[in-house]
Amino acid sequence: MVSAAFYFLAFLGIVISPQKVGDELDEATNARMRRYAEEMQERMAQLLLEIEALEKQQSSMHMGALLLSAMQTWQFWASLGFILLLIWLLFWLRKKFEVFDDSSDEESSSSDEDLEEPALNDESNTSISIAESIQRQQVNLTNYCRLVEEMVRGFCRACDWVFKDTFSPVLQTPIGVGSAFEGWSPREGDTVYRCLIPMTAPRGHSFHVEQNTKWNLPSKVSRIRVKLECTCWREQEFGNMLCFLHNPVEELRRNQEPSLLRTMCTRSYLDVRKVSSWFQQLAKLSWKSVPHSSSWLVKVLKTRRSCMLRLIDDTGSTVFVEMMFGVQQGDTDIFLSSDYSEAPVTPDTVWPQSCAVAEMKFFRNIAANAQQDSFHLGCMQLCARIALGSYFTSYMMKTVVMHLLNTIPLERWHRREFLQRMDDIMEYLCSCLRKKCLDHFWLGNEQMPEEFILPPDFQTSRPPNLFQHMAKDPDQYTQAHTDFHELQEQLMQMLNFGN
């Protein structure tokens, strides 16, 4: 029986020569080889049992004689050959399966890498999708900004014509300010287009800025004192105008429009509320003469310190336009604005200092010097969007971005470095949070570009801390700390999933 098995397996070893190991073997072939190896192991075990039985039967013989007798028989050599053949086949099969397993692991690893790459690609695609969405919104912002500027300019020209013979403030060319005119918006589809309308004093009047130097800059309690000026020596230039200082009061009341002091001032100071009320009435009367006004349904909203318009076109799209008023401080980029101050209550005669025009010029200067694929506005918009409803206001986030735009070279604000710049922004904000200090951008900034004209005290003053409330109130610091972590999570969610 043993000899028959030996010859049969020897025949198989000769006829079935080992195939070349490679990736061409399929699962069926490998399964047959595994079964074949198991069968060889069973036969080898059976042969060993037969040898043990033979040794028991001949246990009475001397070991030396038994060994000599066994070596003289051909069955011994056949068994030994069979065992060696089995060992060789098992060794070959084991090596074959190890190579196959290594090949399978490499294929599996390659497959895993293929599965992981789409995840990276998905993150990249999400970032690209966010970038493209922001760029589309910026195009819409640009188009609406042009439309709004044209409409407000036309409105101011109409107002000048209507009130040319009165002593109302003289309206200058409107200046688009705020996030929309800077090229970003914290809210998609809910943008307010803000225009600052500079005012100068009418004939026979002058504006004088008064600031309380006890407060840190930018001043929150600036006032505009209105004074009457003698016009006697300019009678030919001003036509039939009577001098307010050198003519009887009764004659002035009968023959001339009242002065600005009587119409829009409180105790000689220009009153924001009175100016706003006058402007709102003017908008209701003069809007029909504005270019493109026939394409919009216009409603003047009642506000205390500005003139807010709600425009609805034929498709139902709504645009909000806020017109504010301001008086330029000398020839600088700083204005005294009708905007609200940070105080809980802003008196009607207070005109806080505003850096809105300087900030608009800053972003336009960056856009003019940056390369075509710069994505700094996309970073700004994303920062403002994730900060909505948190401790960090849009102005705080804008201050962080302006500081970094002033220090990181513009060529490093490419769209391909979008994620790195967002990381820089969050790291800068985190550093300010640890120090409980975020410096105002326009005051005490030694790296201010020369293109901007600022009052002398802006450059020499100590920059106010936008985190001053946090530094004084532990509860606010705790809230800011919690909100910062939520900003991080929201940013990661938006970059990974696009929502």
Side-chain angles (χ1 to χ4, degrees):
M1 176 180 178
V2 174
S3 61
F6 169 77
Y7 284 113
F8 176 73
L9 293 174
F11 174 77
L12 288 177
I14 295 172
V15 175
I16 307 175
S17 59
Q19 297 182 0
K20 185 179 179 180
V21 177
D23 295 337
E24 66 272 7
L25 293 178
D26 56 10
E27 292 185 3
T29 302
N30 289 307
R32 287 198 300 271
M33 299 299 288
R34 288 191 179 92
R35 290 195 300 272
Y36 186 63
E38 293 172 357
E39 184 179 354
M40 294 300 100
Q41 289 178 341
E42 293 177 359
R43 293 185 182 185
M44 185 175 179
Q46 183 179 0
L47 180 60
L48 292 174
L49 291 174
E50 290 179 1
I51 292 175
E52 290 178 1
L54 181 62
E55 289 177 349
K56 290 180 181 179
Q57 292 176 3
Q58 299 177 352
S59 61
S60 59
M61 298 176 61
H62 189 270
M63 182 59 65
L66 178 60
L67 180 59
L68 180 61
S69 177
M71 292 178 64
Q72 290 176 350
T73 60
W74 64 269
Q75 288 91 345
F76 172 83
W77 295 106
S79 300
L80 182 61
F82 175 73
I83 292 172
L84 294 174
L85 179 61
L86 270 179
I87 293 173
W88 179 82
L89 285 173
L90 291 173
F91 177 79
W92 178 79
L93 289 172
R94 183 175 181 180
K95 185 176 180 181
K96 164 72 183 77
F97 289 132
E98 287 177 353
V99 174
F100 176 77
D101 290 339
D102 291 341
S103 176
S104 299
D105 291 341
E106 290 176 1
E107 292 178 359
S108 176
S109 176
S110 176
S111 176
D112 290 341
E113 291 177 359
D114 292 340
L115 291 175
E116 291 175 1
E117 286 179 2
L120 295 176
N121 290 338
D122 288 344
E123 181 179 353
S124 178
N125 290 337
T126 301
S127 301
I128 292 174
S129 177
I130 292 174
E132 292 176 347
S133 175
I134 290 176
Q135 286 181 332
R136 286 194 298 270
Q137 295 167 26
Q138 289 172 348
V139 171
N140 292 335
L141 284 176
T142 301
N143 294 334
Y144 273 115
C145 284
R146 292 173 181 169
L147 175 64
V148 169
E149 278 188 318
E150 184 179 355
M151 296 173 71
V152 176
R153 272 198 222 101
F155 175 66
C156 290
R157 286 194 295 266
C159 293
D160 283 341
W161 184 82
V162 171
F163 289 93
K164 62 180 180 179
D165 294 328
T166 67
F167 300 98
S168 302
V170 180
L171 307 180
Q172 306 298 317
T173 303
I175 305 173
V177 297
S179 61
F181 287 92
E182 292 168 357
W184 59 277
S185 175
R187 294 181 176 86
E188 183 178 0
D190 189 21
T191 303
V192 177
Y193 297 85
R194 310 180 77 192
C195 288
L196 178 67
I197 303 177
M199 301 185 304
T200 56
R203 299 169 297 166
H205 299 72
S206 61
F207 289 158
H208 300 269
V209 175
E210 294 183 1
Q211 293 177 297
N212 189 336
T213 56
K214 295 181 181 180
W215 296 85
N216 291 330
L217 296 174
S219 177
K220 302 177 180 61
V221 290
S222 302
R223 291 181 171 85
I224 302 173
R225 179 181 288 276
V226 179
K227 293 184 178 180
L228 297 175
E229 301 290 340
C230 176
T231 58
C232 296
W233 60 280
R234 304 180 67 180
E235 290 182 356
Q236 294 182 352
E237 180 182 352
F238 291 154
N240 57 356
M241 175 187 171
L242 300 176
C243 178
F244 283 107
L245 293 178
H246 302 103
N247 284 281
V249 174
E250 292 299 326
E251 183 178 359
L252 292 172
R253 288 179 178 177
R254 288 195 306 267
N255 302 318
Q256 191 163 268
E257 293 288 333
S259 69
L260 185 61
L261 279 171
R262 292 178 54 190
T263 57
M264 300 186 196
C265 291
T266 299
R267 296 190 304 276
S268 301
Y269 290 104
L270 194 62
D271 191 304
V272 174
R273 189 175 182 181
K274 293 179 179 179
V275 173
S276 298
S277 178
W278 163 73
F279 206 83
Q280 291 170 18
Q281 295 297 324
L282 195 59
K284 295 177 182 179
L285 296 174
S286 306
W287 191 258
K288 293 182 180 180
S289 60
V290 173
H292 310 291
S293 61
S294 59
S295 304
W296 299 84
L297 177 63
V298 181
K299 180 175 179 60
V300 179
L301 305 179
K302 189 174 182 179
T303 53
R304 188 181 183 93
R305 299 181 67 90
S306 65
C307 179
M308 179 78 76
L309 304 178
R310 184 181 64 192
L311 311 178
I312 304 176
D313 65 7
D314 297 336
T315 64
S317 299
T318 303
V319 176
F320 290 93
V321 178
E322 183 178 18
M323 291 178 283
M324 304 177 299
F325 325 104
V327 174
Q328 187 175 12
Q329 189 170 345
D331 59 350
T332 70
D333 296 323
I334 305 302
F335 282 73
L336 273 62
S337 166
S338 65
D339 200 3
Y340 286 92
S341 68
E342 297 178 1
V345 178
T346 305
D348 293 338
T349 56
V350 168
W351 296 71
Q353 275 185 321
S354 172
C355 302
V357 174
E359 290 162 3
M360 179 274 298
K361 291 180 63 176
F362 175 84
F363 279 97
R364 290 194 177 180
N365 182 65
I366 292 293
N369 291 281
Q371 298 184 4
Q372 187 174 4
D373 60 346
S374 178
F375 201 67
H376 61 283
L377 292 175
C379 295
M380 179 65 249
Q381 180 155 323
L382 185 57
C383 288
R385 188 158 297 176
I386 63 175
L388 286 175
S390 72
Y391 177 87
F392 305 99
T393 64
S394 295
Y395 192 77
M396 291 177 181
M397 301 303 293
K398 182 168 73 170
T399 300
V400 170
V401 173
M402 287 193 296
H403 277 299
L404 291 176
L405 282 170
N406 208 34
T407 54
I408 298 177
L410 292 180
E411 57 268 18
R412 293 176 56 189
W413 289 85
H414 288 289
R415 175 169 153 176
R416 63 178 176 270
E417 298 187 53
F418 162 55
L419 296 180
Q420 180 60 48
R421 296 290 78 78
M422 290 301 301
D423 185 64
D424 292 338
I425 293 170
M426 297 304 292
E427 184 178 349
Y428 189 95
L429 181 62
C430 181
S431 174
C432 294
L433 183 59
R434 285 195 297 265
K435 296 183 295 184
K436 301 180 182 179
C437 179
L438 174 59
D439 288 337
H440 194 280
F441 181 75
W442 295 101
L443 287 101
N445 191 344
E446 297 179 354
Q447 299 181 349
M448 186 61 59
E450 298 179 355
E451 293 84 357
F452 304 100
I453 305 174
L454 302 176
D457 51 0
F458 267 52
Q459 300 174 2
T460 58
S461 65
R462 181 179 179 181
N465 179 15
L466 300 186
F467 285 173
Q468 59 179 336
H469 299 297
M470 175 202 308
K472 297 178 181 178
D473 188 347
D475 292 337
Q476 289 198 29
Y477 178 74
T478 301
Q479 182 63 47
H481 194 272
T482 301
D483 287 355
F484 176 77
H485 288 292
E486 292 181 357
L487 290 186
Q488 288 181 309
E489 294 177 359
Q490 188 175 353
L491 178 60
M492 291 303 299
Q493 182 180 6
M494 186 173 293
L495 293 177
N496 288 327
F497 305 106
N499 55 15

